[in-house]
Amino acid sequence: SIHTFDTILYRIDPLRNMCRYYSISIMPNLFGGHSLMRTWGRRGSGGQTIIELFDNPATAQVACDRILRSKLERGYSECRLSH
């Protein structure tokens, strides 16, 4: 069975007209490794996406944790979803 792990972060500040999202997912890829997919932008927009490839889920998780920690320090709030 394929398991993906998604985290969605939001940063909303009406005084600064800021309504941003940052989505990060770890999932198996077709090459036998795992992909870390990040999408970000203003809510309601398609945003930008980047995909990084990793040999195993542990290294993808380390990268994911580092990115999440950085975003939370910058004022984003977390909404975690599991499929």
Side-chain angles (χ1 to χ4, degrees):
S1 91
I2 295 176
H3 177 75
T4 62
F5 187 75
D6 301 321
T7 301
I8 301 172
L9 304 175
Y10 294 104
R11 186 170 179 194
I12 300 169
D13 184 349
L15 295 176
R16 295 174 63 195
N17 193 26
M18 182 185 299
C19 190
R20 298 180 186 165
Y21 70 92
Y22 195 94
S23 171
I24 191 163
S25 303
I26 299 173
M27 62 194 81
N29 63 39
L30 298 175
F31 308 110
H34 279 72
S35 298
L36 179 65
M37 183 170 76
R38 299 184 283 156
T39 304
W40 66 93
R42 272 185 76 82
R43 281 186 63 187
S45 74
Q48 300 178 40
T49 300
I50 189 167
I51 298 174
E52 296 177 74
L53 303 177
F54 293 89
D55 292 332
N56 58 62
T59 53
Q61 188 64 55
V62 168
C64 181
D65 290 345
R66 177 182 45 80
I67 293 165
L68 288 175
R69 196 169 31 257
S70 171
K71 294 297 176 188
L72 291 171
E73 288 172 357
R74 294 170 112 184
Y76 282 80
S77 298
E78 186 172 5
C79 176
R80 192 167 279 218
L81 307 170
S82 184
H83 301 280

